[in-house]
Coordinates of all heavy atoms in Angstrom, one line a residue:
M1 N 47.9 -11.7 32.2 CA 47.4 -10.3 32.0 C 46.0 -10.2 32.5 O 45.2 -11.1 32.3 CB 47.5 -10.0 30.5 CG 47.0 -8.6 30.2 SD 47.2 -8.0 28.5 CE 45.8 -8.8 27.7
V2 N 45.7 -9.1 33.2 CA 44.4 -8.8 33.7 C 43.9 -7.6 33.0 O 44.6 -6.6 33.0 CB 44.4 -8.6 35.2 CG1 43.0 -8.3 35.7 CG2 44.9 -9.9 35.9
V3 N 42.7 -7.7 32.3 CA 42.1 -6.5 31.6 C 41.3 -5.8 32.7 O 40.5 -6.3 33.3 CB 41.3 -7.0 30.5 CG1 40.6 -5.8 29.8 CG2 42.1 -7.8 29.5
I4 N 41.5 -4.5 32.7 CA 40.8 -3.6 33.6 C 40.1 -2.5 32.8 O 40.8 -1.8 32.1 CB 41.7 -3.0 34.7 CG1 42.3 -4.1 35.6 CG2 40.9 -2.1 35.6 CD1 43.3 -3.6 36.6
A5 N 38.8 -2.4 32.9 CA 38.1 -1.4 32.1 C 36.8 -1.0 32.7 O 36.3 -1.7 33.5 CB 37.9 -1.9 30.7
D6 N 36.2 0.1 32.2 CA 34.8 0.4 32.5 C 34.0 -0.5 31.6 O 34.3 -0.6 30.4 CB 34.6 1.9 32.3 CG 33.2 2.3 32.6 OD1 32.3 2.0 31.9 OD2 33.0 2.9 33.7
S7 N 32.9 -1.0 32.1 CA 32.1 -1.9 31.3 C 31.5 -1.2 30.1 O 31.2 -1.8 29.1 CB 31.0 -2.6 32.2 OG 30.1 -1.6 32.7
G8 N 31.3 0.1 30.2 CA 30.8 0.9 29.1 C 31.7 0.9 27.9 O 31.3 1.2 26.8
L9 N 33.0 0.6 28.1 CA 34.0 0.5 27.0 C 34.0 -0.8 26.3 O 34.6 -0.9 25.2 CB 35.4 0.9 27.6 CG 35.5 2.3 28.2 CD1 36.9 2.4 28.8 CD2 35.3 3.3 27.2
L10 N 33.4 -1.8 26.9 CA 33.5 -3.1 26.3 C 32.1 -3.6 25.9 O 31.2 -3.5 26.7 CB 34.1 -4.2 27.2 CG 35.6 -3.9 27.6 CD1 36.0 -5.0 28.6 CD2 36.5 -4.0 26.4
S11 N 32.0 -4.2 24.8 CA 30.7 -4.8 24.4 C 30.5 -6.1 25.0 O 31.5 -6.7 25.5 CB 30.6 -4.9 22.8 OG 31.5 -5.9 22.4
S12 N 29.3 -6.7 25.0 CA 29.1 -8.0 25.6 C 29.9 -9.0 24.8 O 30.4 -10.0 25.3 CB 27.6 -8.3 25.7 OG 27.0 -8.3 24.4
N13 N 30.0 -8.8 23.5 CA 30.8 -9.7 22.7 C 32.3 -9.7 23.1 O 32.9 -10.8 23.2 CB 30.8 -9.3 21.2 CG 29.4 -9.7 20.6 OD1 28.7 -10.5 21.1 ND2 29.1 -9.0 19.4
N14 N 32.8 -8.5 23.4 CA 34.2 -8.5 23.9 C 34.4 -9.2 25.2 O 35.4 -9.8 25.5 CB 34.7 -7.0 24.0 CG 34.9 -6.4 22.6 OD1 35.1 -7.0 21.6 ND2 34.9 -5.0 22.6
I15 N 33.4 -9.0 26.1 CA 33.5 -9.7 27.4 C 33.4 -11.2 27.2 O 34.2 -11.9 27.8 CB 32.3 -9.2 28.3 CG1 32.5 -7.7 28.6 CG2 32.2 -10.0 29.6 CD1 31.4 -7.0 29.3
N16 N 32.5 -11.6 26.3 CA 32.5 -13.1 26.0 C 33.8 -13.6 25.5 O 34.2 -14.7 25.8 CB 31.3 -13.4 25.0 CG 30.0 -13.2 25.7 OD1 29.8 -13.3 26.9 ND2 29.0 -12.9 24.8
D17 N 34.4 -12.8 24.6 CA 35.7 -13.1 24.1 C 36.8 -13.3 25.2 O 37.6 -14.2 25.2 CB 36.2 -12.1 23.0 CG 35.4 -12.2 21.7 OD1 34.7 -13.2 21.5 OD2 35.6 -11.2 20.9
L18 N 36.8 -12.3 26.1 CA 37.7 -12.4 27.3 C 37.5 -13.7 28.0 O 38.5 -14.4 28.4 CB 37.5 -11.2 28.2 CG 38.0 -9.8 27.7 CD1 37.5 -8.7 28.6 CD2 39.5 -9.8 27.5
Q19 N 36.2 -14.0 28.3 CA 35.9 -15.2 29.1 C 36.4 -16.5 28.3 O 37.0 -17.4 28.8 CB 34.4 -15.3 29.4 CG 34.0 -14.3 30.4 CD 32.5 -14.3 30.6 OE1 31.7 -14.4 29.7 NE2 32.1 -14.1 31.9
R20 N 36.0 -16.5 27.0 CA 36.4 -17.7 26.2 C 37.9 -17.9 26.1 O 38.3 -19.0 26.1 CB 35.8 -17.5 24.8 CG 35.9 -18.8 23.9 CD 35.3 -18.6 22.5 NE 36.1 -17.6 21.7 CZ 35.6 -16.4 21.4 NH1 34.4 -16.0 21.8 NH2 36.4 -15.6 20.7
E21 N 38.6 -16.8 26.0 CA 40.1 -16.9 25.9 C 40.8 -17.1 27.2 O 42.0 -17.3 27.3 CB 40.6 -15.7 25.2 CG 40.1 -15.5 23.7 CD 40.6 -16.7 22.8 OE1 41.7 -17.2 23.0 OE2 39.8 -17.1 21.9
G22 N 40.0 -17.1 28.3 CA 40.5 -17.4 29.6 C 41.2 -16.2 30.3 O 42.0 -16.4 31.3
Y23 N 41.0 -15.0 29.8 CA 41.6 -13.8 30.5 C 40.8 -13.5 31.8 O 39.6 -13.7 31.9 CB 41.4 -12.6 29.6 CG 42.4 -12.5 28.4 CD1 42.0 -12.9 27.1 CD2 43.7 -12.1 28.6 CE1 42.9 -12.9 26.1 CE2 44.6 -12.1 27.5 CZ 44.2 -12.5 26.3 OH 45.1 -12.5 25.2
E24 N 41.6 -13.0 32.7 CA 41.0 -12.5 33.9 C 40.7 -11.0 33.6 O 41.4 -10.3 32.9 CB 41.9 -12.6 35.1 CG 42.2 -14.0 35.5 CD 43.0 -14.1 36.7 OE1 43.0 -13.2 37.6 OE2 43.7 -15.2 36.9
F25 N 39.6 -10.5 34.2 CA 39.3 -9.1 34.0 C 38.5 -8.5 35.2 O 37.9 -9.2 35.9 CB 38.4 -8.9 32.7 CG 37.2 -9.7 32.6 CD1 36.0 -9.2 33.1 CD2 37.2 -11.0 32.1 CE1 34.8 -10.0 33.0 CE2 36.1 -11.8 32.0 CZ 34.9 -11.2 32.5
I26 N 38.6 -7.2 35.3 CA 37.9 -6.4 36.3 C 37.2 -5.3 35.5 O 37.9 -4.5 34.8 CB 38.9 -5.8 37.3 CG1 39.7 -6.9 38.0 CG2 38.1 -4.9 38.3 CD1 40.8 -6.4 38.9
L27 N 35.9 -5.2 35.7 CA 35.1 -4.2 35.0 C 34.3 -3.4 36.0 O 33.8 -3.9 36.9 CB 34.1 -4.8 34.0 CG 34.7 -5.7 32.9 CD1 33.5 -6.4 32.1 CD2 35.6 -5.0 32.0
G28 N 34.3 -2.1 35.8 CA 33.5 -1.2 36.6 C 32.0 -1.4 36.1 O 31.8 -1.7 34.9
A29 N 31.1 -1.4 37.0 CA 29.7 -1.6 36.6 C 28.8 -0.8 37.5 O 29.2 -0.3 38.6 CB 29.3 -3.1 36.7
R30 N 27.5 -0.6 37.1 CA 26.5 0.1 37.9 C 25.4 -0.9 38.3 O 25.1 -1.8 37.5 CB 25.9 1.2 37.1 CG 26.9 2.3 36.7 CD 26.2 3.5 36.0 NE 27.1 4.5 35.7 CZ 27.5 5.4 36.4 NH1 27.1 5.5 37.7 NH2 28.4 6.3 36.0
I31 N 24.9 -0.7 39.5 CA 23.8 -1.6 40.0 C 22.7 -1.6 39.0 O 22.1 -2.7 38.7 CB 23.4 -1.1 41.4 CG1 24.5 -1.3 42.4 CG2 22.1 -1.9 41.8 CD1 24.2 -0.7 43.7
K32 N 22.3 -0.5 38.4 CA 21.1 -0.4 37.6 C 21.2 -1.3 36.3 O 20.2 -1.6 35.7 CB 20.8 1.0 37.2 CG 21.8 1.7 36.3 CD 21.4 3.1 35.9 CE 22.4 3.7 34.9 NZ 22.0 5.0 34.5
N33 N 22.5 -1.7 36.0 CA 22.6 -2.5 34.8 C 22.6 -4.0 35.1 O 22.7 -4.8 34.2 CB 24.0 -2.2 34.1 CG 24.0 -0.8 33.6 OD1 23.0 -0.2 33.3 ND2 25.2 -0.2 33.5
E34 N 22.4 -4.4 36.3 CA 22.3 -5.8 36.7 C 20.9 -6.2 36.7 O 20.0 -5.4 36.8 CB 23.0 -6.0 38.1 CG 24.4 -5.7 38.2 CD 25.3 -6.5 37.3 OE1 24.9 -7.7 36.9 OE2 26.4 -6.1 36.9
K35 N 20.7 -7.5 36.7 CA 19.3 -8.1 36.7 C 18.7 -7.7 38.1 O 19.4 -7.5 39.1 CB 19.4 -9.6 36.6 CG 19.8 -10.0 35.2 CD 19.8 -11.5 35.0 CE 20.2 -11.8 33.6 NZ 20.4 -13.2 33.4
Q36 N 17.4 -7.6 38.1 CA 16.7 -7.1 39.3 C 16.9 -8.0 40.5 O 17.1 -7.4 41.6 CB 15.2 -7.0 39.0 CG 14.4 -6.2 40.0 CD 13.0 -6.0 39.6 OE1 12.4 -6.7 38.9 NE2 12.5 -4.8 40.1
I37 N 17.0 -9.3 40.4 CA 17.3 -10.1 41.5 C 18.6 -9.8 42.1 O 18.8 -9.8 43.3 CB 17.1 -11.6 41.2 CG1 17.1 -12.4 42.5 CG2 18.1 -12.1 40.2 CD1 16.5 -13.8 42.3
L38 N 19.6 -9.6 41.3 CA 21.0 -9.2 41.7 C 21.0 -7.8 42.4 O 21.6 -7.6 43.4 CB 21.9 -9.3 40.6 CG 23.4 -9.5 40.9 CD1 23.7 -10.6 42.0 CD2 24.2 -9.7 39.7
Q39 N 20.2 -6.9 41.8 CA 20.1 -5.6 42.4 C 19.6 -5.7 43.8 O 20.1 -5.0 44.7 CB 19.1 -4.7 41.6 CG 19.7 -4.3 40.2 CD 18.7 -3.4 39.5 OE1 17.8 -2.7 40.1 NE2 18.8 -3.4 38.2
K40 N 18.6 -6.5 44.0 CA 18.0 -6.7 45.4 C 19.0 -7.2 46.4 O 19.1 -6.8 47.5 CB 16.8 -7.6 45.3 CG 15.6 -6.9 44.7 CD 14.4 -7.8 44.7 CE 13.2 -7.1 44.0 NZ 12.0 -7.9 43.9
Q41 N 19.8 -8.2 45.9 CA 20.9 -8.8 46.7 C 21.9 -7.7 47.1 O 22.3 -7.6 48.3 CB 21.6 -9.9 46.0 CG 20.8 -11.2 45.9 CD 21.6 -12.2 45.2 OE1 22.0 -12.0 44.0 NE2 21.9 -13.3 45.8
I42 N 22.3 -6.9 46.1 CA 23.3 -5.9 46.4 C 22.8 -4.9 47.4 O 23.4 -4.5 48.4 CB 23.7 -5.2 45.1 CG1 24.4 -6.1 44.2 CG2 24.5 -3.9 45.3 CD1 24.6 -5.6 42.7
L43 N 21.5 -4.4 47.2 CA 21.0 -3.4 48.1 C 20.7 -3.9 49.5 O 20.6 -3.1 50.4 CB 19.7 -2.8 47.4 CG 20.0 -2.0 46.1 CD1 18.7 -1.6 45.5 CD2 20.8 -0.8 46.4
S44 N 20.5 -5.2 49.6 CA 20.2 -5.8 50.9 C 21.5 -5.9 51.8 O 21.4 -6.2 52.9 CB 19.5 -7.1 50.8 OG 20.4 -8.1 50.3
L45 N 22.6 -5.7 51.2 CA 23.9 -5.8 51.9 C 24.1 -4.8 53.0 O 24.7 -5.0 54.0 CB 25.1 -5.7 50.9 CG 25.2 -6.9 49.9 CD1 26.4 -6.5 48.9 CD2 25.6 -8.2 50.7
K46 N 23.5 -3.6 52.8 CA 23.6 -2.5 53.9 C 25.1 -2.3 54.3 O 25.4 -2.2 55.4 CB 22.8 -2.9 55.1 CG 21.3 -3.2 54.8 CD 20.6 -2.0 54.3 CE 19.1 -2.4 54.1 NZ 18.4 -1.6 53.2
L47 N 25.9 -2.1 53.3 CA 27.3 -1.8 53.5 C 27.5 -0.4 54.1 O 26.8 0.5 53.8 CB 28.1 -1.9 52.2 CG 28.2 -3.3 51.6 CD1 28.9 -3.2 50.3 CD2 28.8 -4.3 52.5
K48 N 28.5 -0.3 54.9 CA 28.9 1.0 55.5 C 30.1 1.6 54.7 O 30.7 0.8 53.9 CB 29.3 0.9 57.0 CG 28.1 0.5 57.8 CD 28.5 0.4 59.3 CE 27.3 0.1 60.2 NZ 26.7 -1.2 60.1
N49 N 30.4 2.8 54.9 CA 31.5 3.5 54.2 C 32.8 2.7 54.2 O 33.2 2.3 55.3 CB 31.7 4.9 54.7 CG 32.7 5.7 53.9 OD1 32.6 5.7 52.7 ND2 33.6 6.4 54.5
G50 N 33.3 2.4 53.0 CA 34.5 1.7 52.9 C 34.4 0.2 52.9 O 35.4 -0.5 52.7
E51 N 33.2 -0.4 53.2 CA 33.1 -1.8 53.3 C 32.8 -2.4 51.9 O 32.3 -1.7 51.0 CB 31.9 -2.2 54.1 CG 32.1 -1.9 55.6 CD 30.9 -2.3 56.5 OE1 29.8 -2.5 56.0 OE2 31.2 -2.5 57.7
S52 N 33.2 -3.6 51.7 CA 33.0 -4.4 50.4 C 32.5 -5.7 50.7 O 32.6 -6.3 51.8 CB 34.3 -4.5 49.7 OG 34.9 -3.2 49.4
A53 N 31.9 -6.3 49.7 CA 31.4 -7.7 49.8 C 31.5 -8.3 48.4 O 31.6 -7.6 47.4 CB 29.9 -7.7 50.2
I54 N 31.5 -9.6 48.3 CA 31.6 -10.3 47.1 C 30.4 -11.2 46.9 O 30.0 -11.9 47.8 CB 32.9 -11.2 47.0 CG1 34.2 -10.4 47.1 CG2 32.9 -12.1 45.7 CD1 35.4 -11.1 47.2
L55 N 29.8 -11.0 45.7 CA 28.6 -11.8 45.4 C 28.9 -12.6 44.1 O 29.6 -12.1 43.2 CB 27.4 -10.9 45.1 CG 26.8 -10.1 46.2 CD1 25.6 -9.3 45.7 CD2 26.3 -11.0 47.3
K56 N 28.4 -13.8 44.0 CA 28.5 -14.7 42.8 C 27.5 -14.3 41.8 O 26.3 -14.4 42.1 CB 28.4 -16.1 43.2 CG 28.9 -17.0 42.1 CD 29.8 -18.1 42.7 CE 30.4 -19.0 41.7 NZ 31.7 -18.5 41.2
K57 N 27.9 -13.8 40.6 CA 27.0 -13.4 39.6 C 26.6 -14.6 38.8 O 25.4 -14.8 38.5 CB 27.6 -12.4 38.7 CG 26.7 -11.9 37.6 CD 27.3 -10.7 36.8 CE 26.4 -10.3 35.7 NZ 26.9 -9.1 35.0
D58 N 27.5 -15.4 38.4 CA 27.3 -16.7 37.7 C 28.5 -17.6 38.0 O 29.3 -17.3 38.8 CB 27.0 -16.5 36.2 CG 28.2 -15.8 35.5 OD1 29.4 -16.1 35.8 OD2 27.9 -14.9 34.7
E59 N 28.5 -18.7 37.3 CA 29.6 -19.7 37.6 C 31.0 -19.2 37.3 O 32.0 -19.7 37.9 CB 29.3 -21.0 36.9 CG 29.4 -21.0 35.4 CD 29.2 -22.3 34.8 OE1 30.1 -23.1 34.7 OE2 28.0 -22.5 34.3
H60 N 31.1 -18.2 36.5 CA 32.4 -17.7 36.1 C 32.7 -16.2 36.6 O 33.8 -15.7 36.4 CB 32.6 -17.7 34.6 CG 32.4 -19.0 34.0 ND1 33.3 -20.0 34.2 CD2 31.4 -19.5 33.2 CE1 32.9 -21.1 33.6 NE2 31.7 -20.8 33.0
T61 N 31.7 -15.6 37.2 CA 31.8 -14.2 37.5 C 31.4 -13.8 38.9 O 30.4 -14.2 39.4 CB 30.9 -13.3 36.5 OG1 31.2 -13.7 35.2 CG2 31.2 -11.8 36.7
N62 N 32.3 -13.1 39.6 CA 32.0 -12.6 40.9 C 31.9 -11.1 40.8 O 32.5 -10.4 40.0 CB 33.2 -12.9 41.9 CG 33.3 -14.3 42.3 OD1 32.3 -15.0 42.4 ND2 34.5 -14.8 42.4
L63 N 31.0 -10.5 41.6 CA 30.9 -9.1 41.7 C 31.5 -8.6 43.1 O 31.2 -9.2 44.1 CB 29.4 -8.7 41.8 CG 28.6 -8.9 40.5 CD1 27.2 -8.5 40.7 CD2 29.2 -8.2 39.3
V64 N 32.4 -7.6 43.0 CA 32.9 -7.0 44.2 C 32.1 -5.7 44.4 O 32.2 -4.8 43.5 CB 34.4 -6.7 44.0 CG1 35.0 -6.0 45.3 CG2 35.2 -8.0 43.8
I65 N 31.4 -5.7 45.4 CA 30.5 -4.6 45.7 C 31.2 -3.7 46.8 O 31.6 -4.2 47.8 CB 29.1 -5.0 46.3 CG1 28.5 -6.1 45.4 CG2 28.2 -3.9 46.4 CD1 28.3 -5.7 44.0
S66 N 31.3 -2.4 46.6 CA 31.8 -1.5 47.6 C 30.9 -0.3 47.8 O 30.2 0.0 46.9 CB 33.3 -1.1 47.2 OG 33.3 -0.4 46.0
Y67 N 31.0 0.3 49.0 CA 30.2 1.4 49.3 C 31.0 2.6 49.7 O 32.0 2.4 50.5 CB 29.2 1.1 50.4 CG 28.3 2.3 50.8 CD1 27.3 2.7 49.9 CD2 28.6 3.0 51.9 CE1 26.5 3.8 50.3 CE2 27.9 4.2 52.2 CZ 26.8 4.5 51.4 OH 26.1 5.6 51.7
S68 N 30.8 3.7 49.1 CA 31.5 5.0 49.4 C 30.5 6.0 49.8 O 29.6 6.4 49.0 CB 32.3 5.4 48.2 OG 32.7 6.7 48.3
L69 N 30.6 6.6 51.0 CA 29.7 7.6 51.4 C 29.8 8.9 50.6 O 28.8 9.5 50.2 CB 29.9 7.9 52.9 CG 29.0 9.0 53.5 CD1 27.5 8.6 53.4 CD2 29.4 9.3 55.0
S70 N 31.1 9.2 50.2 CA 31.3 10.4 49.3 C 30.6 10.2 48.0 O 30.0 11.1 47.4 CB 32.7 10.7 49.2 OG 33.4 9.7 48.6
R71 N 30.7 9.0 47.4 CA 30.0 8.7 46.1 C 28.5 8.8 46.3 O 27.8 9.3 45.4 CB 30.4 7.4 45.6 CG 29.8 7.0 44.3 CD 30.2 8.1 43.2 NE 29.4 7.9 42.0 CZ 29.9 7.6 40.8 NH1 31.2 7.4 40.7 NH2 29.1 7.5 39.8
H72 N 28.0 8.3 47.4 CA 26.6 8.4 47.7 C 26.1 9.8 47.7 O 25.1 10.2 47.1 CB 26.3 7.7 49.1 CG 24.9 8.0 49.6 ND1 23.8 7.2 49.2 CD2 24.4 8.9 50.4 CE1 22.7 7.7 49.9 NE2 23.1 8.7 50.6
K73 N 26.9 10.7 48.4 CA 26.5 12.1 48.5 C 26.5 12.8 47.1 O 25.6 13.5 46.8 CB 27.4 12.8 49.5 CG 27.1 12.4 50.9 CD 28.1 13.1 51.9 CE 27.8 12.7 53.3 NZ 28.8 13.4 54.2
K74 N 27.5 12.4 46.3 CA 27.6 13.0 45.0 C 26.5 12.6 44.1 O 25.8 13.4 43.4 CB 28.9 12.5 44.3 CG 29.2 13.1 42.9 CD 30.5 12.6 42.4 CE 30.8 13.1 41.0 NZ 30.2 12.4 39.9
D75 N 26.1 11.3 44.1 CA 25.0 10.7 43.4 C 23.7 11.4 43.8 O 22.8 11.7 43.0 CB 24.9 9.2 43.4 CG 26.1 8.5 42.7 OD1 26.8 9.2 41.9 OD2 26.3 7.3 42.9
Q76 N 23.5 11.5 45.1 CA 22.3 12.1 45.7 C 22.2 13.6 45.2 O 21.1 14.0 44.8 CB 22.3 12.0 47.2 CG 21.0 12.5 47.8 CD 21.0 12.3 49.4 OE1 22.1 12.3 50.0 NE2 19.9 12.1 49.9
A77 N 23.3 14.3 45.3 CA 23.2 15.7 44.8 C 22.9 15.8 43.3 O 22.1 16.7 42.9 CB 24.6 16.4 45.1
N78 N 23.4 14.9 42.5 CA 23.1 14.9 41.1 C 21.7 14.5 40.8 O 21.0 15.1 40.0 CB 24.0 13.9 40.4 CG 25.4 14.3 40.2 OD1 25.7 15.5 40.3 ND2 26.3 13.4 40.0
R79 N 21.1 13.6 41.6 CA 19.7 13.3 41.5 C 18.8 14.5 41.8 O 17.9 14.8 41.1 CB 19.3 12.1 42.3 CG 19.7 10.8 41.8 CD 19.2 9.6 42.6 NE 19.5 9.6 44.0 CZ 20.6 9.0 44.5 NH1 21.5 8.4 43.7 NH2 20.8 9.1 45.8
E80 N 19.1 15.2 42.9 CA 18.4 16.3 43.4 C 18.5 17.5 42.3 O 17.5 18.1 42.1 CB 18.8 16.8 44.8 CG 18.4 15.8 45.8 CD 19.1 16.1 47.2 OE1 19.9 17.0 47.3 OE2 18.8 15.3 48.1
K81 N 19.7 17.7 41.8 CA 19.9 18.7 40.8 C 19.0 18.4 39.5 O 18.4 19.3 39.0 CB 21.4 18.7 40.4 CG 21.7 19.8 39.3 CD 23.2 19.7 39.0 CE 23.6 20.7 37.9 NZ 25.0 20.7 37.6
G82 N 19.0 17.1 39.1 CA 18.2 16.7 38.0 C 16.7 16.9 38.3 O 15.9 17.4 37.4
L83 N 16.2 16.6 39.5 CA 14.8 16.9 39.8 C 14.5 18.3 39.8 O 13.4 18.7 39.3 CB 14.5 16.3 41.2 CG 14.4 14.8 41.3 CD1 14.3 14.3 42.7 CD2 13.2 14.3 40.5
R84 N 15.4 19.2 40.3 CA 15.1 20.6 40.3 C 15.0 21.1 38.8 O 14.2 21.9 38.5 CB 16.2 21.4 41.0 CG 16.1 21.3 42.5 CD 17.0 22.3 43.2 NE 18.4 22.1 42.9 CZ 19.2 21.2 43.5 NH1 18.8 20.5 44.5 NH2 20.5 21.1 43.2
K85 N 15.9 20.6 38.0 CA 15.9 21.0 36.6 C 14.5 20.6 35.9 O 13.9 21.4 35.2 CB 17.1 20.4 35.9 CG 17.2 20.8 34.4 CD 18.5 20.2 33.8 CE 18.6 20.6 32.4 NZ 19.8 20.0 31.8
L86 N 14.1 19.4 36.2 CA 12.8 18.9 35.6 C 11.6 19.7 36.2 O 10.7 20.1 35.4 CB 12.6 17.4 36.0 CG 13.4 16.4 35.2 CD1 13.3 15.0 35.8 CD2 13.1 16.4 33.7
E87 N 11.7 20.0 37.5 CA 10.6 20.8 38.0 C 10.5 22.2 37.4 O 9.5 22.7 37.1 CB 10.8 20.9 39.6 CG 10.5 19.6 40.3 CD 10.9 19.7 41.8 OE1 11.6 20.6 42.2 OE2 10.5 18.7 42.5
K88 N 11.7 22.8 37.1 CA 11.8 24.1 36.5 C 11.2 24.0 35.1 O 10.5 24.9 34.7 CB 13.2 24.6 36.5 CG 13.4 26.0 35.9 CD 14.9 26.4 36.0 CE 15.0 27.8 35.4 NZ 16.4 28.2 35.5
Q89 N 11.5 23.0 34.4 CA 11.0 22.8 33.0 C 9.5 22.6 33.0 O 8.8 23.2 32.2 CB 11.7 21.6 32.3 CG 13.1 21.8 31.9 CD 13.7 20.5 31.4 OE1 13.2 19.4 31.4 NE2 15.0 20.6 30.9
I90 N 9.0 21.8 34.0 CA 7.6 21.6 34.1 C 6.8 22.9 34.4 O 5.8 23.2 33.8 CB 7.3 20.5 35.1 CG1 7.7 19.2 34.6 CG2 5.8 20.5 35.4 CD1 7.7 18.1 35.6
S91 N 7.4 23.7 35.3 CA 6.7 24.9 35.7 C 6.8 26.0 34.6 O 5.9 26.8 34.5 CB 7.3 25.5 37.0 OG 8.6 25.9 36.8
S92 N 7.8 25.9 33.7 CA 7.8 26.9 32.7 C 6.8 26.6 31.5 O 6.5 27.4 30.7 CB 9.2 27.0 32.1 OG 9.6 25.8 31.4
V93 N 6.4 25.3 31.5 CA 5.5 24.9 30.4 C 4.0 25.3 30.8 O 3.2 25.7 30.0 CB 5.5 23.3 30.3 CG1 4.3 22.9 29.4 CG2 6.8 22.9 29.7
N94 N 3.8 25.3 32.1 CA 2.4 25.7 32.6 C 2.2 27.2 32.7 O 2.6 28.1 32.8 CB 2.2 25.1 34.0 CG 2.1 23.6 33.9 OD1 1.7 23.1 32.8 ND2 2.5 22.9 34.9

């Protein structure tokens, strides 16, 4: 059996339990939740749309990194929307 989940649904204790019991698992994750050195490795990959790479996180865990241009555009639009909202809030205070 392979457990597939979003990492937000599993606690670190549950993940440790999966590892201890020998289960294989695939978890969705975000770059910002990784250690800074691993973030730098991921960002240095310079993947193109649809490309993937595998990085070793530790002796028992591999990260499968993929890049999606459509996800990039969605995330960028969300960041810009958030900035506009903050700017509006700041200007209404002054």
Side-chain angles (χ1 to χ4, degrees):
M1 179 171 79
V2 177
V3 176
I4 301 174
D6 183 284
S7 61
L9 298 176
L10 296 177
S11 67
S12 59
N13 287 339
N14 288 341
I15 294 168
N16 290 336
D17 289 345
L18 289 172
Q19 290 174 321
R20 187 181 65 253
E21 297 297 325
Y23 284 99
E24 293 184 28
F25 56 91
I26 299 170
L27 302 177
R30 296 186 182 273
I31 294 173
K32 69 180 183 176
N33 295 336
E34 297 298 336
K35 292 180 180 175
Q36 194 168 31
I37 191 160
L38 199 49
Q39 288 181 25
K40 288 180 182 180
Q41 285 180 302
I42 293 168
L43 295 173
S44 72
L45 292 172
K46 307 293 184 203
L47 297 174
K48 294 182 175 70
N49 190 42
E51 291 182 338
S52 297
I54 298 175
L55 296 177
K56 192 133 186 91
K57 182 174 180 175
D58 58 43
E59 65 180 280
H60 303 291
T61 309
N62 290 323
L63 294 176
V64 178
I65 312 299
S66 61
Y67 178 77
S68 164
L69 182 59
S70 62
R71 180 61 190 241
H72 168 87
K73 289 178 180 180
K74 179 180 183 273
D75 290 346
Q76 185 176 27
N78 286 340
R79 284 189 300 273
E80 290 170 358
K81 181 179 176 182
L83 284 173
R84 285 191 302 274
K85 186 175 177 180
L86 287 171
E87 288 169 348
K88 185 177 177 180
Q89 288 175 351
I90 290 169
S91 67
S92 69
V93 172
N94 293 331

